[in-house]
Amino acid sequence: MSDIVLRVEDVWKSFGDLQVLRGISFDVAESEVKVIFGPSGSGKSTLLRCINYLDPPDKGEIYLRGKRLGDPDTDINKIRSRIGFVFQHFNLFAHLKAIDNVAIGPEKVLGLSKEEARERAMRALKHVKMDKWADHYPAQLSGGQQQRVGIARALAMETDVILFDEPTSALDPELIGEVLQTMLDIAKEGTTMVVVTHEMGFARSVADEMIFIDGGVIVERGTPHHFFTSPESERVQQFLHKLDELYGQTRDERRTIAERDQE
Amino acid sequence: MQGPDIPRLFAVIMERGVPAALQITFFGLGLGLLAGLSLALMRVYGTAPMRTFAELYEKTLRGIPVLVLIYIFTFGVPGLFWFVDPLSRPIVGAYVALGIRSAAYQSQIFRGAILSVGEGQVLAARSLGMTNFQAQVYIVLPQAFKIALPAWSNEYAVVIKDSSFASDVGVFEILKVSLNITASDPRLWLPAMLVVTLIYFIFTYPVTRYFGKKGGGMAQVGREIVWQ
């Protein structure tokens, strides 16, 4: 019980008449990598926002290491500082250099001194291999580099868990690899992660459990092995087949072009 | 007969008129900044009644001629600035009149600037554990001020020019001083007005050109902003 970092309990959320989440529950254990996937509009991003109370759920509970979010006596800002968030569109602070993007949280939220915060930020940037770009502004970086800074920003807070909201889906295909590699690295180091993604290669190599969400409910859950060998529901089979069609084919095409170039 | 002594005219108006004009501009813009920024924050982040209030304020104040406002705050409500030396009451009335009107325009400038920073960065700040206030102070407002600079420099030009209306309630600013000069010698009308024009030009053009062109030191690169 004690190694449960995050508990999501029967979370419901609607926007007006639209029921986006209809009773989602799962636990995330220490050092676990949980991959959440499903068709767009199925409520994955909403779920992540419910988890850190950027959008509090209508019903249901979120616990971070046993502490219930939304309790009157828990400071939600303090709790949020222990939940990292990596955004689809990076959301870096445009007026701050990479190093300051990473350092501002430890300094202003965790109360570290300016020097300590910058030191910690530099370590985090080194971790994602962005230390050489520390003095660049977001607009001077590629999408992949920006996302790595986004990951460093979450790492520097030394959180209990990091939530990833489709971290590679806004990137050009040739920039996805560097971000996935960074995520693989930190996953293997034991970072507790909840990742919304369609990158099945990533899921296959590091996910401890995969959760398929459709229509606001969990349709199926299991290990990557389960999903890639014997998914039960038809909906999942269709979806995985579509992903394979889409990404598998482009990968094959890319290979043929590369082979052609070699000849 | 000698022609008018332009350099002397220039010197006299600069010395006797410009200080009051700059004072009115400084306090008018300052008051407008404080009130305008508050209104902008109310419009973007406030509750429904706050938004309605701010919107009504903007609409009303933008509909009143500035000279009417100046009359209201000087002769209209005579006891309003009872704590101020009677001789200074007209200029204080001008500060307030120009300030509360400028607030209506600055509110719009800052509202647009705040909105253009983008919700994503606010979400990112909140997800780090910043309070709403911290997100504003460290993330939104530093960017909003820079984005607002070109429009704000324009507002400065408007306020310094409109400070000339204070001449009508007896404040010795640029226009009032030159009117007094022409009263003693009507042949000085044209040269005095030319000098007045030149002075306003000196105090507006470099500022609006510098900030208008530099865009607050920012160049748009695609959808992103480069800070130089």
Side-chain angles (χ1 to χ4, degrees), chain A residues 49 52 54 77 80-81 83 85 87 91-96 101 104-105 108-109 137 139-140 146 153 157, chain B residues 119-132 134 138-140 142-143 221 224-228:
Chain A
R49 285 187 182 201
N52 79 347
L54 280 174
N77 293 314
R80 250 188 226 127
S81 72
I83 304 176
F85 206 110
F87 295 86
N91 297 8
L92 295 186
F93 307 129
H95 64 310
L96 299 178
N101 259 281
I104 194 164
K108 303 298 182 190
V109 177
Y137 288 97
Q140 300 167 318
Q146 287 190 53
R153 182 168 65 178
M157 296 294 286
Chain B
E119 197 201 5
Q121 292 187 48
V122 179
L123 282 179
R126 298 305 307 276
S127 77
L128 285 175
M130 285 193 195
T131 61
N132 250 327
Q134 285 179 313
Y138 298 127
I139 307 301
V140 178
Q143 296 182 62
V221 175
E224 299 286 347
I225 295 160
V226 176
W227 297 74
Q228 291 152 345

Side-chain angles (χ1 to χ4, degrees), chain A residues 4-221:
Chain A
I4 297 296
V5 176
L6 183 74
R7 162 159 286 175
V8 177
E9 211 173 83
D10 193 31
V11 163
W12 292 69
K13 179 80 187 177
S14 62
F15 295 108
D17 288 340
L18 188 68
Q19 273 290 349
V20 184
L21 298 175
R22 298 183 296 160
I24 303 268
S25 305
F26 60 85
D27 287 347
V28 183
E30 189 83 55
S31 296
E32 188 184 344
V33 177
K34 189 86 85 188
V35 164
I36 296 173
F37 70 117
S40 59
S42 59
K44 303 171 308 256
S45 299
T46 307
L47 175 62
L48 290 192
R49 285 187 182 201
C50 280
I51 289 176
N52 79 347
Y53 260 58
L54 280 174
D55 253 331
D58 300 332
K59 199 183 131 210
E61 311 294 346
I62 311 284
Y63 297 89
L64 184 72
R65 292 205 190 277
K67 264 223 158 90
R68 194 162 72 99
L69 274 70
D71 257 1
D73 60 331
T74 56
D75 178 358
I76 187 62
N77 293 314
K78 202 155 234 166
I79 294 228
R80 250 188 226 127
S81 72
R82 292 164 49 198
I83 304 176
F85 206 110
V86 175
F87 295 86
Q88 182 178 5
H89 296 285
F90 333 132
N91 297 8
L92 295 186
F93 307 129
H95 64 310
L96 299 178
K97 293 173 176 172
I99 178 98
D100 298 316
N101 259 281
V102 182
I104 194 164
E107 188 190 338
K108 303 298 182 190
V109 177
L110 303 181
L112 269 61
S113 74
K114 211 174 170 75
E115 294 72 40
E116 285 172 322
R118 284 182 74 89
E119 228 168 80
R120 199 194 263 204
M122 207 56 197
R123 274 205 306 274
L125 284 176
K126 214 168 252 168
H127 207 141
V128 300
K129 302 191 175 66
M130 282 297 293
D131 45 317
K132 287 195 182 66
W133 300 85
D135 286 326
H136 287 69
Y137 288 97
Q140 300 167 318
L141 302 174
S142 75
Q145 292 173 324
Q146 287 190 53
Q147 192 58 295
R148 277 146 68 201
V149 174
I151 293 171
R153 182 168 65 178
L155 284 176
M157 296 294 286
E158 296 178 0
T159 54
D160 292 330
V161 56
I162 302 181
L163 314 178
F164 292 79
D165 185 8
E166 305 206 29
T168 56
S169 59
L171 294 172
D172 289 339
E174 60 273 31
L175 301 177
I176 290 175
E178 59 186 79
V179 172
L180 285 179
Q181 191 55 52
T182 305
M183 289 170 62
L184 284 173
D185 291 345
I186 63 172
K188 283 176 182 154
E189 288 158 16
T191 312
T192 310
M193 299 160 70
V194 177
V195 186
V196 169
T197 187
H198 290 157
E199 291 294 335
M200 291 299 118
F202 173 81
R204 202 189 295 255
S205 43
V206 289
D208 295 294
E209 189 187 41
M210 295 172 68
I211 295 180
F212 181 83
I213 293 184
D214 190 16
V217 294
I218 295 180
V219 175
E220 196 168 333
R221 54 195 295 175

Side-chain angles (χ1 to χ4, degrees), chain B residues 19-206:
Chain B
L22 289 183
Q23 256 182 58
I24 296 171
T25 309
F26 179 81
F27 286 107
L29 268 181
L31 178 62
L33 174 68
L34 287 178
L37 191 58
S38 312
L39 288 165
L41 287 169
M42 282 161 80
R43 280 201 67 171
V44 179
Y45 298 106
T47 58
M50 287 162 109
R51 285 203 303 271
T52 313
F53 168 78
E55 219 168 306
L56 265 175
Y57 179 97
E58 281 177 18
K59 290 224 165 87
T60 313
L61 268 292
R62 290 170 62 202
I64 305 175
V66 70
L67 193 52
V68 173
L69 283 174
I70 290 176
Y71 283 143
I72 290 174
F73 284 102
T74 49
F75 308 139
V77 194
L80 190 58
F81 301 110
W82 48 268
F83 49 89
V84 179
D85 166 41
L87 285 176
S88 302
R89 282 178 198 168
I91 197 170
V92 172
Y95 299 162
V96 174
L98 285 172
I100 65 167
R101 192 198 48 160
S102 182
Y105 288 95
Q106 291 192 45
S107 167
Q108 294 205 314
I109 293 171
F110 286 118
R111 187 176 75 101
I114 288 169
L115 286 176
S116 70
V117 173
E119 197 201 5
Q121 292 187 48
V122 179
L123 282 179
R126 298 305 307 276
S127 77
L128 285 175
M130 285 193 195
T131 61
N132 250 327
F133 181 75
Q134 285 179 313
Q136 287 302 314
V137 172
Y138 298 127
I139 307 301
V140 178
L141 292 182
Q143 296 182 62
F145 281 130
K146 281 210 170 184
I147 294 167
L149 252 179
W152 203 81
S153 71
N154 194 52
E155 180 62 17
Y156 155 82
V158 169
V159 173
I160 196 171
K161 281 183 287 185
D162 282 356
S163 72
S164 62
F165 282 111
S167 62
D168 232 41
V169 292
V171 176
F172 279 89
E173 46 63 71
I174 296 170
L175 190 61
K176 179 75 178 167
V177 170
S178 27
L179 289 177
N180 277 11
I181 293 169
T182 60
S184 63
D185 185 350
R187 283 171 306 176
L188 289 177
W189 261 108
L190 186 60
M193 287 307 118
L194 288 176
V195 169
V196 167
T197 306
L198 176 69
I199 289 174
Y200 279 118
F201 183 79
I202 289 171
F203 279 96
T204 53
Y205 182 72

